[in-house]
Amino acid sequence: MKNSLDAYQTFYQVARYHGFTQAAAATHTSQPNLTRTIKNLENELGCTLFVRSKKGVKLTPEGEKLYVHAAAAIEHLEAAEAEIAADRGLEAGYVNIAATEVALHCSLLPVISKFRQRYPGAHVRVINSNTPQAVETLRDGLADLALVTTPLEENRAIVSKELRQMQEVPVCSMAFADKLRGKVTLEEIAGYPIIGLGAHTGSFEFFANVFAANGIEFKPEIEASTADQILPMIKGDLGIGFIPIDFLASENENSSLMVIDIDKPIPARSVCMLKRRHDTLSLAAKTLEEMILDTVESA
């Protein structure tokens, strides 16, 4: 393209308002600037674009041809700007959140529900991830926010905000209950089949450290892909798993599960919200972030 987009934008406005004076007022630009731009454009194209009269201006045949294409291009760009503005707003905005299963159930789901009730036109996409995957997704710009559980490696490009503490407890089915009543040590638990997440997750790293601190190797016999798979596996009499207390809230008194009374409680972990340090969130993402923080403060 020989000429700048600004030159064609000026041509479009002069043609649209049928005069330099009207176009200058509408675009908050001086008339001499518009006149100079059009003169330069005519020189570059080698033709006259407007016929000037006391009543204003009229497009020449060459100007008519140019206007058809210029109007289509500029109006398409304006429509794109409007769509982007809507996407970043609350009426049709998009928010992408990378979240671990634990963070999703413990902190995020109730907030998303409230957000959707207030802003039904907004779209929320939850990307199911473990903590390292969520951090990578956020860092690569594929998520606006991330909700994860510790442990969490320090990253200067990412801001972390602790939302709440999360307590996990060892849980078994009634198939193991008779052998695990009363105070039980972590070493005794390690003698039974353990259900846990895979080696490349923050949860595995956390429990590996907890077990190692007690001189025990953390070696799950059954590996779950996500945290929400562990509870059904426990109910299926496959072994012992460590479950956030929040996950047990929906279990009734007749549940087939038993919380093991461990002699030393598992250290608490944190649910954290992450965002990129130097990026500006869209209105929709910023609003959801504020709702998450408000929920934590009012808890």
Side-chain angles (χ1 to χ4, degrees), residues 5-242:
L5 183 60
D6 287 343
Y8 290 114
Q9 172 80 325
T10 298
F11 164 76
Y12 169 76
Q13 297 296 346
V14 173
R16 181 183 177 189
Y17 289 102
H18 307 290
F20 288 85
T21 302
Q22 299 92 320
T27 59
H28 306 288
T29 308
S30 69
Q31 185 174 337
N33 283 341
L34 295 185
T35 302
R36 189 182 313 110
T37 300
I38 294 300
K39 194 66 178 175
N40 290 339
L41 183 60
E42 289 176 330
N43 290 337
E44 286 289 333
L45 296 176
C47 64
T48 301
L49 298 173
F50 294 103
V51 176
R52 296 155 178 82
S53 69
K54 292 182 179 180
K55 295 182 179 181
V57 298
K58 183 179 179 182
L59 289 167
T60 64
E62 293 84 359
E64 292 280 2
K65 291 179 181 179
L66 181 61
Y67 181 76
V68 171
H69 297 285
I74 291 167
E75 287 167 9
H76 271 93
L77 288 172
E78 289 176 346
E81 287 180 344
E83 287 181 13
I84 291 171
D87 285 350
R88 291 178 60 84
L90 290 169
E91 290 157 3
Y94 283 82
V95 186
N96 293 311
I97 306 176
T100 66
E101 287 286 348
V102 173
L104 178 66
H105 289 285
C106 292
S107 297
L108 187 57
L109 281 178
V111 183
I112 291 178
S113 177
K114 291 179 182 177
F115 180 80
R116 290 283 297 126
Q117 288 174 10
R118 291 184 190 177
Y119 312 108
H123 304 272
V124 179
R125 178 181 176 229
V126 178
I127 305 166
N128 193 314
S129 314
N130 58 46
T131 293
Q133 290 170 342
V135 172
E136 183 178 355
T137 300
L138 180 67
R139 187 190 61 215
D140 292 344
L142 301 177
D144 302 296
L145 301 167
L147 264 72
V148 301
T149 48
T150 55
L152 185 64
E153 291 185 8
E154 185 177 351
N155 189 318
R156 293 182 180 179
I158 292 175
V159 178
S160 174
K161 170 71 175 178
E162 182 181 272
L163 300 179
R164 54 164 293 186
Q165 292 279 296
M166 176 193 69
Q167 183 63 56
E168 289 155 297
V169 292
V171 175
C172 67
S173 69
M174 299 312 294
F176 298 90
D178 289 340
K179 299 175 182 179
L180 292 167
R181 294 190 188 279
K183 289 288 181 183
V184 177
T185 66
L186 193 62
E187 187 174 5
E188 289 176 299
I189 289 174
Y192 292 86
I194 299 293
I195 305 168
L197 296 181
H200 300 294
T201 65
S203 288
F204 183 95
E205 178 186 347
F206 172 77
F207 281 106
N209 289 333
V210 171
F211 273 58
N214 289 270
I216 312 165
E217 182 183 6
F218 180 66
K219 191 176 179 181
E221 282 82 354
I222 301 171
E223 187 176 302
S225 298
T226 59
D228 64 343
Q229 293 178 350
I230 296 177
L231 200 54
M233 290 181 178
I234 296 171
K235 290 180 177 180
D237 302 332
L238 297 181
I240 298 170
F242 294 88

